[in-house]
Amino acid sequence: MAQIKVDGKLIEVPDHFTLMQAAEAAGNEIPRFCYHERLSVAGNCRMCLVEVKGGPPKPQASCAMGVKDLRPAPDGSPPEMFTNSPMVKKAREGVMEFLLINHPLDCPICDQGGECDLQDQAIAFGFDKSRYEEKKRIVDEKYLGPLIKTIMTRCIHCTRCVRFTTEVAGVCELGLLGRGEDAEITPYIERAMSSELQGNVIDLCPVGALTSRPYAFTARSWELHKTDSIDVMDAVGSAIRIDARGSEVMRIVPRLNEDINEEWISDKTRFIWDGLKTQRLDRPYIKKGKKLVEASWDEALGTVAKAMKKAGNKVGAIAGDLAGVEEMYALKKLLASVGSNNVDCRPINSALDANIDRSAYIFNPSIAGIEEADAILIIGANPRSEATILNARIRKTWLKNNMPIALVGEQTDLTYDYQHLGDDVDTLKALATGSHKFNKIFKKAKKPIIIVGENAISHADESKKLGRDVLAMALMVANNAGAFTDSWNGFALLHNAASRVGGLDIGFTPQNGGVCSADQIKLAGKGELDMLFLLGADEFDMQAMGESFVVYIGSHGDAGAHRADVILPASAYTEKSATYVNLEGRVQMSNRATFPPGDAKEDWAIIRAISGKLGKALPFDNLNELRQALYSEHEHLANINGINADNISANISALKKLAKIPAKVKNVEFISAVKNYYLTNPIARSSKTMGQCVQAANEREQAGQDK
C-alpha cells in the first residue's frame, strides 16, 4: 500500500494505482476521454491532467502516472497532488478548447445527444469561448458494416475503439493512420467488421463518431423507458437494459455485471430488437383444411382441450431455446395431469437427463472463474459463436497469463492462439487414456478447465450412447488433468440455449416411461403420439411429425408455427417476467419492458387456460402463485442471481463416478451446434439487421475466396 495526499486529504491506496484511481478513491472526479479501465492506457486525450506538488512545473496525465512514480516530500511526508488547482483548471479548459476546434456543432442531430461525454465534460470542465476562427476539418465517413454508423468528423482520436477491437474482441480491423491533422481512425480496407462484439464501440465512443446504425434517428435517450433485464440469445445470461418507447423496444444496451458480461454484450444481443417487431404472432390460429385461419381465444383453447381429451396420455411436449422456467413448469404439470411424462428441453439425443448430477451439466468454474484458469481444453465447441461473451473472457485470461489452450473439434478463429489436437472422438479417447502429448502440458496446470460443447454430447444422427461416452471420456480427461480438487471443479459444459439449464433443473426431461424429443417426433411420425406441444420449439424436423396434432405456443411465425394445427400467440422475452438459469447455474429473472402485441399472452397463462378448458385446472391463478409452487419443489430457484453451487466435494465425487473410458466407441467428428451465429432463433431470423449481418459475412467470405 502507498500513501498520497489528494487535495489535502491523506489516503492509502494499492501500489499499482494510477493518480486517476487514487483521486477517485478520495472521491474526486477526474474527466477523461481516452482512458477506460478495461483497456490499455493510451494517454492521448490529456483531459485527465492534475498538478503534482514537487513534480514538473506542468500538469501531468493522471491516467499514465502511477502513485509509486511520485517521490515523497523532502521532509518524508507523502507525495501530494491537486485535482482542482488553478493550473489544472486552466489546463483542462485549454485541452477542451483544442478538442472542440474541429468538432462539428451538430448536437441537435447527433444520436449521442444526452449521453455524450464530450457534452458533459465541456459543460463541467470547459470554457465558454473559442479563439479559433479557421475552417473545421472534414473527414470522410468509413463503412464498418450494417451495425455501426460513422461520422468521423466528430472523432477526437481517443483510440478506444481501436484498443477494444484489438484487445477485447481480438480482431485487428481498426487503426489510426496519419499524423496530426491528417490522422484518422480507419478500418484499413473498407468492408464490414467481422467481430461479434463490434457494437460495444458504440458505448465506448465518447463523442458520437461511432453510433448505432439501426437505431439512428429513432429516439432520444430521455424519451425511453428503461428496464433492467437479462439476455436470452445464448446461455450466458448477460445483463442488459431494454429501452422502450410506448409498445416498441427501441434499443438494447449492456449493464455492468462483473460476474458475467462485465460491461460488454454480443452484437446479437444488442441488435436483435428489430426482430421483436416483425413476423409476430398476435392472435390465435386454427388449421381448417390446409389453411390457418384466425380464431378467438375461446375457440382455440377449446380445440386444444378437445384434442387433449381425445389423445389421452399420448401427448408430448418439446421446449424451445428461449422458454422460461415458469412456462416449462406449467407445461410439465399440464402433461402430468393427463398421465404423460413425454417432455424434453434438450437437443436431439442428448446425454443429459434428470438423473444426472447437476454439476455434470453446468459451467462449474463459473464465467468469472475463467480468469483463475491456467490451461483450457475445448471439446466439440466454438465459444466464439456459441457464447461470445464467455469467449472474450477466455481471451482476456489468455492475454494476461498466456495459458495453453487446446481444441478438439472444428478448426476456426477463436481470437486467441490454441493447439488444434484433432477433430474427432478418437482424439478425445487418446486424451482420456493419457496417451496424447497434450496430457503432459495439462498435468502441469493447477486450475485447468475442460469445456465440453453441448453438441459434443448430443449427436442427431447417432445414439444417446455416443453422447454418454463422450461425456464420460471428457470427465476422465478432467480427472486425469487434476481438474477436481477440494477447491476447484474445472469441468464446464457449454450450453447454447437460455432455456436448457432451467429445464434440466426442473426435470423437463422424460421420466417414468416418458420419451425424449427425438422419440416423440418418431412416434408422432408413426401415428403413435397423437398430440405434440411445441413451446417455442423451432429447431426440429417439422415434416417428421406426420399427422400428429401440433400446438405451437410461441411469439414468432417460424418453423413451428408453419407446422402447427393450432397457434397460441405468446410473449417474447422482453414482454414478460420469467426465470432463466444460465450455463453456470445462476438463477436470473427477466423483466417486462413492453406488452405483447395484439391478443398475445404470457406462455404460462396460456397453459393455465388450457388446463381450465380441459377440466384439470392447474393449482395457480397468477404468476406469484405459480412461483410459490415452483419454489416449493425447487428451492434453489428462489435464490435469484445465485449460482447455488452445492458442496464441491459431493459434486466432484458424483462426476468421478461418471468418468470412464468406454471399451468401444464410434469415431465421429465434432461440429459446432451453431451453424450461423446471426440466425440461431426465431427472433434472430425475423430481424432485418441480423439478415444484413449474414449478407455482410457472406460478402466478406466471398472477398476472401476471391483473393
mmCIF file of all heavy atoms in Angstrom, residues 127-161:
data_model
loop_
_atom_site.group_PDB
_atom_site.id
_atom_site.type_symbol
_atom_site.label_atom_id
_atom_site.label_comp_id
_atom_site.label_asym_id
_atom_site.label_seq_id
_atom_site.Cartn_x
_atom_site.Cartn_y
_atom_site.Cartn_z
ATOM 1 N N PHE A 127 -14.511 25.750 -21.389
ATOM 2 C CA PHE A 127 -14.501 27.214 -21.382
ATOM 3 C C PHE A 127 -15.584 27.671 -22.357
ATOM 4 O O PHE A 127 -15.852 26.997 -23.352
ATOM 5 C CB PHE A 127 -13.118 27.710 -21.819
ATOM 6 C CG PHE A 127 -12.909 29.185 -21.653
ATOM 7 C CD1 PHE A 127 -13.135 29.803 -20.433
ATOM 8 C CD2 PHE A 127 -12.465 29.967 -22.720
ATOM 9 C CE1 PHE A 127 -12.925 31.162 -20.279
ATOM 10 C CE2 PHE A 127 -12.256 31.328 -22.567
ATOM 11 C CZ PHE A 127 -12.487 31.927 -21.340
ATOM 12 N N ASP A 128 -16.212 28.788 -22.088
ATOM 13 C CA ASP A 128 -17.367 29.188 -22.898
ATOM 14 C C ASP A 128 -16.996 30.014 -24.126
ATOM 15 O O ASP A 128 -17.863 30.565 -24.789
ATOM 16 C CB ASP A 128 -18.376 29.963 -22.048
ATOM 17 C CG ASP A 128 -17.796 31.253 -21.470
ATOM 18 O OD1 ASP A 128 -16.575 31.459 -21.625
ATOM 19 O OD2 ASP A 128 -18.555 32.036 -20.877
ATOM 20 N N LYS A 129 -15.709 30.107 -24.463
ATOM 21 C CA LYS A 129 -15.298 30.861 -25.643
ATOM 22 C C LYS A 129 -14.276 30.055 -26.429
ATOM 23 O O LYS A 129 -13.603 29.178 -25.896
ATOM 24 C CB LYS A 129 -14.680 32.211 -25.256
ATOM 25 C CG LYS A 129 -15.663 33.206 -24.667
ATOM 26 C CD LYS A 129 -14.974 34.534 -24.402
ATOM 27 C CE LYS A 129 -15.951 35.569 -23.869
ATOM 28 N NZ LYS A 129 -16.463 35.205 -22.538
ATOM 29 N N SER A 130 -14.149 30.352 -27.707
ATOM 30 C CA SER A 130 -13.109 29.736 -28.530
ATOM 31 C C SER A 130 -12.384 30.826 -29.298
ATOM 32 O O SER A 130 -13.002 31.769 -29.805
ATOM 33 C CB SER A 130 -13.725 28.736 -29.511
ATOM 34 O OG SER A 130 -12.725 28.219 -30.364
ATOM 35 N N ARG A 131 -11.072 30.704 -29.406
ATOM 36 C CA ARG A 131 -10.275 31.708 -30.117
ATOM 37 C C ARG A 131 -10.020 31.321 -31.557
ATOM 38 O O ARG A 131 -9.358 32.038 -32.293
ATOM 39 C CB ARG A 131 -8.933 31.888 -29.400
ATOM 40 C CG ARG A 131 -9.058 32.513 -28.016
ATOM 41 C CD ARG A 131 -7.777 32.375 -27.231
ATOM 42 N NE ARG A 131 -7.565 30.996 -26.787
ATOM 43 C CZ ARG A 131 -6.461 30.572 -26.171
ATOM 44 N NH1 ARG A 131 -5.478 31.412 -25.932
ATOM 45 N NH2 ARG A 131 -6.349 29.311 -25.798
ATOM 46 N N TYR A 132 -10.538 30.178 -31.993
ATOM 47 C CA TYR A 132 -10.242 29.669 -33.327
ATOM 48 C C TYR A 132 -11.351 30.029 -34.305
ATOM 49 O O TYR A 132 -12.531 29.788 -34.053
ATOM 50 C CB TYR A 132 -10.037 28.149 -33.279
ATOM 51 C CG TYR A 132 -8.782 27.769 -32.543
ATOM 52 C CD1 TYR A 132 -8.775 27.631 -31.156
ATOM 53 C CD2 TYR A 132 -7.585 27.596 -33.234
ATOM 54 C CE1 TYR A 132 -7.612 27.306 -30.482
ATOM 55 C CE2 TYR A 132 -6.416 27.268 -32.558
ATOM 56 C CZ TYR A 132 -6.440 27.128 -31.192
ATOM 57 O OH TYR A 132 -5.284 26.813 -30.518
ATOM 58 N N GLU A 133 -10.939 30.621 -35.430
ATOM 59 C CA GLU A 133 -11.898 31.037 -36.453
ATOM 60 C C GLU A 133 -11.660 30.316 -37.775
ATOM 61 O O GLU A 133 -12.391 30.536 -38.739
ATOM 62 C CB GLU A 133 -11.800 32.552 -36.666
ATOM 63 C CG GLU A 133 -12.153 33.353 -35.416
ATOM 64 C CD GLU A 133 -11.987 34.855 -35.634
ATOM 65 O OE1 GLU A 133 -11.503 35.240 -36.722
ATOM 66 O OE2 GLU A 133 -12.341 35.625 -34.723
ATOM 67 N N GLU A 134 -10.635 29.468 -37.835
ATOM 68 C CA GLU A 134 -10.346 28.743 -39.070
ATOM 69 C C GLU A 134 -11.448 27.734 -39.377
ATOM 70 O O GLU A 134 -12.225 27.342 -38.511
ATOM 71 C CB GLU A 134 -8.998 28.001 -38.954
ATOM 72 C CG GLU A 134 -7.786 28.903 -38.925
ATOM 73 C CD GLU A 134 -7.534 29.506 -37.557
ATOM 74 O OE1 GLU A 134 -8.307 29.197 -36.626
ATOM 75 O OE2 GLU A 134 -6.583 30.304 -37.410
ATOM 76 N N LYS A 135 -11.487 27.317 -40.648
ATOM 77 C CA LYS A 135 -12.486 26.329 -41.034
ATOM 78 C C LYS A 135 -12.184 24.994 -40.367
ATOM 79 O O LYS A 135 -11.038 24.604 -40.207
ATOM 80 C CB LYS A 135 -12.495 26.154 -42.552
ATOM 81 C CG LYS A 135 -13.005 27.376 -43.301
ATOM 82 C CD LYS A 135 -13.029 27.121 -44.802
ATOM 83 C CE LYS A 135 -13.566 28.349 -45.549
ATOM 84 N NZ LYS A 135 -13.583 28.116 -47.022
ATOM 85 N N LYS A 136 -13.257 24.300 -40.023
ATOM 86 C CA LYS A 136 -13.110 22.985 -39.401
ATOM 87 C C LYS A 136 -12.724 21.957 -40.457
ATOM 88 O O LYS A 136 -13.127 22.057 -41.614
ATOM 89 C CB LYS A 136 -14.410 22.565 -38.721
ATOM 90 C CG LYS A 136 -14.828 23.456 -37.549
ATOM 91 C CD LYS A 136 -16.158 22.999 -36.973
ATOM 92 C CE LYS A 136 -16.604 23.895 -35.824
ATOM 93 N NZ LYS A 136 -15.826 23.686 -34.603
ATOM 94 N N ARG A 137 -11.969 20.970 -40.057
ATOM 95 C CA ARG A 137 -11.588 19.915 -40.996
ATOM 96 C C ARG A 137 -12.766 18.970 -41.205
ATOM 97 O O ARG A 137 -13.622 18.799 -40.329
ATOM 98 C CB ARG A 137 -10.376 19.152 -40.509
ATOM 99 C CG ARG A 137 -10.668 18.178 -39.376
ATOM 100 C CD ARG A 137 -9.517 17.231 -39.143
ATOM 101 N NE ARG A 137 -9.932 16.188 -38.205
ATOM 102 C CZ ARG A 137 -9.304 15.044 -38.042
ATOM 103 N NH1 ARG A 137 -8.227 14.789 -38.746
ATOM 104 N NH2 ARG A 137 -9.729 14.138 -37.187
ATOM 105 N N ILE A 138 -12.804 18.342 -42.344
ATOM 106 C CA ILE A 138 -13.846 17.370 -42.684
ATOM 107 C C ILE A 138 -13.168 16.019 -42.934
ATOM 108 O O ILE A 138 -12.155 15.950 -43.628
ATOM 109 C CB ILE A 138 -14.633 17.792 -43.944
ATOM 110 C CG1 ILE A 138 -15.253 19.179 -43.749
ATOM 111 C CG2 ILE A 138 -15.698 16.765 -44.278
ATOM 112 C CD1 ILE A 138 -16.295 19.248 -42.659
ATOM 113 N N VAL A 139 -13.739 14.974 -42.379
ATOM 114 C CA VAL A 139 -13.199 13.626 -42.548
ATOM 115 C C VAL A 139 -14.252 12.756 -43.207
ATOM 116 O O VAL A 139 -15.423 12.775 -42.818
ATOM 117 C CB VAL A 139 -12.784 13.010 -41.191
ATOM 118 C CG1 VAL A 139 -12.173 11.633 -41.388
ATOM 119 C CG2 VAL A 139 -11.818 13.925 -40.471
ATOM 120 N N ASP A 140 -13.848 12.008 -44.207
ATOM 121 C CA ASP A 140 -14.781 11.120 -44.896
ATOM 122 C C ASP A 140 -15.302 10.047 -43.949
ATOM 123 O O ASP A 140 -14.584 9.570 -43.065
ATOM 124 C CB ASP A 140 -14.095 10.429 -46.084
ATOM 125 C CG ASP A 140 -13.767 11.406 -47.202
ATOM 126 O OD1 ASP A 140 -14.416 12.464 -47.248
ATOM 127 O OD2 ASP A 140 -12.858 11.114 -48.008
ATOM 128 N N GLU A 141 -16.567 9.670 -44.168
ATOM 129 C CA GLU A 141 -17.148 8.589 -43.376
ATOM 130 C C GLU A 141 -16.524 7.255 -43.786
ATOM 131 O O GLU A 141 -16.093 7.069 -44.916
ATOM 132 C CB GLU A 141 -18.674 8.534 -43.562
ATOM 133 C CG GLU A 141 -19.389 9.863 -43.381
ATOM 134 C CD GLU A 141 -19.034 10.581 -42.083
ATOM 135 O OE1 GLU A 141 -18.484 9.948 -41.173
ATOM 136 O OE2 GLU A 141 -19.285 11.783 -41.999
ATOM 137 N N LYS A 142 -16.514 6.322 -42.851
ATOM 138 C CA LYS A 142 -15.969 4.985 -43.102
ATOM 139 C C LYS A 142 -17.102 3.965 -43.041
ATOM 140 O O LYS A 142 -17.983 4.069 -42.181
ATOM 141 C CB LYS A 142 -14.903 4.628 -42.062
ATOM 142 C CG LYS A 142 -13.811 5.685 -41.893
ATOM 143 C CD LYS A 142 -12.965 5.828 -43.138
ATOM 144 C CE LYS A 142 -11.767 6.722 -42.918
ATOM 145 N NZ LYS A 142 -12.099 8.132 -42.657
ATOM 146 N N TYR A 143 -17.051 2.978 -43.920
ATOM 147 C CA TYR A 143 -18.054 1.920 -43.876
ATOM 148 C C TYR A 143 -17.547 0.793 -42.987
ATOM 149 O O TYR A 143 -16.525 0.168 -43.269
ATOM 150 C CB TYR A 143 -18.345 1.379 -45.278
ATOM 151 C CG TYR A 143 -19.302 0.203 -45.269
ATOM 152 C CD1 TYR A 143 -20.660 0.389 -45.009
ATOM 153 C CD2 TYR A 143 -18.844 -1.091 -45.481
ATOM 154 C CE1 TYR A 143 -21.537 -0.680 -44.979
ATOM 155 C CE2 TYR A 143 -19.719 -2.181 -45.451
ATOM 156 C CZ TYR A 143 -21.060 -1.963 -45.201
ATOM 157 O OH TYR A 143 -21.933 -3.027 -45.159
ATOM 158 N N LEU A 144 -18.269 0.547 -41.881
ATOM 159 C CA LEU A 144 -17.889 -0.512 -40.954
ATOM 160 C C LEU A 144 -18.892 -1.661 -40.942
ATOM 161 O O LEU A 144 -18.766 -2.581 -40.135
ATOM 162 C CB LEU A 144 -17.742 0.050 -39.533
ATOM 163 C CG LEU A 144 -16.694 1.150 -39.337
ATOM 164 C CD1 LEU A 144 -16.646 1.574 -37.875
ATOM 165 C CD2 LEU A 144 -15.326 0.680 -39.794
ATOM 166 N N GLY A 145 -19.900 -1.588 -41.797
ATOM 167 C CA GLY A 145 -20.890 -2.656 -41.845
ATOM 168 C C GLY A 145 -22.270 -2.165 -41.478
ATOM 169 O O GLY A 145 -22.505 -0.967 -41.275
ATOM 170 N N PRO A 146 -23.228 -3.084 -41.351
ATOM 171 C CA PRO A 146 -24.622 -2.702 -41.102
ATOM 172 C C PRO A 146 -24.933 -2.316 -39.662
ATOM 173 O O PRO A 146 -26.050 -1.896 -39.368
ATOM 174 C CB PRO A 146 -25.390 -3.975 -41.481
ATOM 175 C CG PRO A 146 -24.433 -5.082 -41.232
ATOM 176 C CD PRO A 146 -23.076 -4.536 -41.562
ATOM 177 N N LEU A 147 -23.978 -2.435 -38.756
ATOM 178 C CA LEU A 147 -24.257 -2.200 -37.342
ATOM 179 C C LEU A 147 -23.782 -0.844 -36.839
ATOM 180 O O LEU A 147 -24.415 -0.241 -35.976
ATOM 181 C CB LEU A 147 -23.613 -3.299 -36.490
ATOM 182 C CG LEU A 147 -24.033 -4.740 -36.815
ATOM 183 C CD1 LEU A 147 -23.325 -5.714 -35.893
ATOM 184 C CD2 LEU A 147 -25.539 -4.899 -36.733
ATOM 185 N N ILE A 148 -22.666 -0.357 -37.355
ATOM 186 C CA ILE A 148 -22.054 0.859 -36.817
ATOM 187 C C ILE A 148 -22.069 1.965 -37.860
ATOM 188 O O ILE A 148 -21.569 1.787 -38.975
ATOM 189 C CB ILE A 148 -20.608 0.590 -36.367
ATOM 190 C CG1 ILE A 148 -20.596 -0.489 -35.284
ATOM 191 C CG2 ILE A 148 -19.953 1.861 -35.846
ATOM 192 C CD1 ILE A 148 -19.223 -0.980 -34.919
ATOM 193 N N LYS A 149 -22.633 3.090 -37.470
ATOM 194 C CA LYS A 149 -22.661 4.274 -38.331
ATOM 195 C C LYS A 149 -21.507 5.196 -37.929
ATOM 196 O O LYS A 149 -21.272 5.423 -36.745
ATOM 197 C CB LYS A 149 -23.999 4.998 -38.171
ATOM 198 C CG LYS A 149 -24.126 6.250 -39.016
ATOM 199 C CD LYS A 149 -25.464 6.925 -38.774
ATOM 200 C CE LYS A 149 -25.578 8.209 -39.584
ATOM 201 N NZ LYS A 149 -26.851 8.909 -39.330
ATOM 202 N N THR A 150 -20.792 5.713 -38.913
ATOM 203 C CA THR A 150 -19.641 6.567 -38.613
ATOM 204 C C THR A 150 -19.883 8.011 -39.047
ATOM 205 O O THR A 150 -20.423 8.262 -40.115
ATOM 206 C CB THR A 150 -18.377 6.054 -39.329
ATOM 207 O OG1 THR A 150 -18.560 6.170 -40.737
ATOM 208 C CG2 THR A 150 -18.100 4.609 -38.982
ATOM 209 N N ILE A 151 -19.504 8.942 -38.183
ATOM 210 C CA ILE A 151 -19.422 10.369 -38.530
ATOM 211 C C ILE A 151 -18.060 10.814 -38.005
ATOM 212 O O ILE A 151 -17.920 11.362 -36.909
ATOM 213 C CB ILE A 151 -20.577 11.174 -37.910
ATOM 214 C CG1 ILE A 151 -21.919 10.567 -38.318
ATOM 215 C CG2 ILE A 151 -20.507 12.642 -38.343
ATOM 216 C CD1 ILE A 151 -23.128 11.246 -37.732
ATOM 217 N N MET A 152 -17.027 10.542 -38.808
ATOM 218 C CA MET A 152 -15.654 10.633 -38.321
ATOM 219 C C MET A 152 -15.158 12.060 -38.129
ATOM 220 O O MET A 152 -14.105 12.267 -37.516
ATOM 221 C CB MET A 152 -14.709 9.868 -39.256
ATOM 222 C CG MET A 152 -15.051 8.385 -39.403
ATOM 223 S SD MET A 152 -15.323 7.512 -37.834
ATOM 224 C CE MET A 152 -13.692 7.555 -37.120
ATOM 225 N N THR A 153 -15.885 13.049 -38.624
ATOM 226 C CA THR A 153 -15.515 14.439 -38.355
ATOM 227 C C THR A 153 -15.583 14.729 -36.859
ATOM 228 O O THR A 153 -14.885 15.605 -36.353
ATOM 229 C CB THR A 153 -16.436 15.392 -39.139
ATOM 230 O OG1 THR A 153 -16.352 15.072 -40.527
ATOM 231 C CG2 THR A 153 -16.038 16.844 -38.940
ATOM 232 N N ARG A 154 -16.420 13.998 -36.146
ATOM 233 C CA ARG A 154 -16.554 14.188 -34.697
ATOM 234 C C ARG A 154 -15.408 13.549 -33.913
ATOM 235 O O ARG A 154 -15.227 13.832 -32.732
ATOM 236 C CB ARG A 154 -17.866 13.579 -34.208
ATOM 237 C CG ARG A 154 -19.121 14.169 -34.804
ATOM 238 C CD ARG A 154 -20.330 13.350 -34.373
ATOM 239 N NE ARG A 154 -21.564 13.813 -34.993
ATOM 240 C CZ ARG A 154 -22.686 13.109 -35.043
ATOM 241 N NH1 ARG A 154 -22.724 11.902 -34.507
ATOM 242 N NH2 ARG A 154 -23.764 13.599 -35.625
ATOM 243 N N CYS A 155 -14.671 12.663 -34.541
ATOM 244 C CA CYS A 155 -13.686 11.843 -33.825
ATOM 245 C C CYS A 155 -12.594 12.694 -33.176
ATOM 246 O O CYS A 155 -12.062 13.627 -33.797
ATOM 247 C CB CYS A 155 -13.062 10.843 -34.796
ATOM 248 S SG CYS A 155 -11.836 9.766 -34.044
ATOM 249 N N ILE A 156 -12.242 12.376 -31.930
ATOM 250 C CA ILE A 156 -11.178 13.103 -31.228
ATOM 251 C C ILE A 156 -9.937 12.219 -31.043
ATOM 252 O O ILE A 156 -9.042 12.557 -30.263
ATOM 253 C CB ILE A 156 -11.655 13.616 -29.857
ATOM 254 C CG1 ILE A 156 -12.064 12.442 -28.954
ATOM 255 C CG2 ILE A 156 -12.803 14.612 -30.018
ATOM 256 C CD1 ILE A 156 -12.301 12.828 -27.511
ATOM 257 N N HIS A 157 -9.897 11.075 -31.728
ATOM 258 C CA HIS A 157 -8.731 10.184 -31.718
ATOM 259 C C HIS A 157 -8.398 9.655 -30.325
ATOM 260 O O HIS A 157 -7.229 9.564 -29.948
ATOM 261 C CB HIS A 157 -7.508 10.886 -32.309
ATOM 262 C CG HIS A 157 -7.741 11.422 -33.678
ATOM 263 N ND1 HIS A 157 -7.082 12.515 -34.172
ATOM 264 C CD2 HIS A 157 -8.583 11.018 -34.672
ATOM 265 C CE1 HIS A 157 -7.504 12.773 -35.397
ATOM 266 N NE2 HIS A 157 -8.414 11.867 -35.723
ATOM 267 N N CYS A 158 -9.413 9.305 -29.574
ATOM 268 C CA CYS A 158 -9.167 8.727 -28.247
ATOM 269 C C CYS A 158 -8.664 7.294 -28.359
ATOM 270 O O CYS A 158 -8.088 6.768 -27.410
ATOM 271 C CB CYS A 158 -10.436 8.770 -27.399
ATOM 272 S SG CYS A 158 -11.733 7.620 -27.931
ATOM 273 N N THR A 159 -8.910 6.648 -29.501
ATOM 274 C CA THR A 159 -8.489 5.272 -29.837
ATOM 275 C C THR A 159 -9.130 4.197 -28.964
ATOM 276 O O THR A 159 -8.649 3.065 -28.904
ATOM 277 C CB THR A 159 -6.948 5.093 -29.807
ATOM 278 O OG1 THR A 159 -6.472 5.203 -28.464
ATOM 279 C CG2 THR A 159 -6.256 6.113 -30.699
ATOM 280 N N ARG A 160 -10.208 4.515 -28.275
ATOM 281 C CA ARG A 160 -10.896 3.471 -27.501
ATOM 282 C C ARG A 160 -11.366 2.344 -28.418
ATOM 283 O O ARG A 160 -11.257 1.163 -28.080
ATOM 284 C CB ARG A 160 -12.106 4.061 -26.771
ATOM 285 C CG ARG A 160 -11.799 4.790 -25.491
ATOM 286 C CD ARG A 160 -13.105 5.179 -24.818
ATOM 287 N NE ARG A 160 -12.903 5.874 -23.565
ATOM 288 C CZ ARG A 160 -13.900 6.258 -22.759
ATOM 289 N NH1 ARG A 160 -15.152 6.006 -23.111
ATOM 290 N NH2 ARG A 160 -13.644 6.882 -21.631
ATOM 291 N N CYS A 161 -11.919 2.712 -29.574
ATOM 292 C CA CYS A 161 -12.442 1.702 -30.497
ATOM 293 C C CYS A 161 -11.325 0.801 -31.008
ATOM 294 O O CYS A 161 -11.494 -0.415 -31.132
ATOM 295 C CB CYS A 161 -13.182 2.367 -31.652
ATOM 296 S SG CYS A 161 -12.205 3.586 -32.561
#
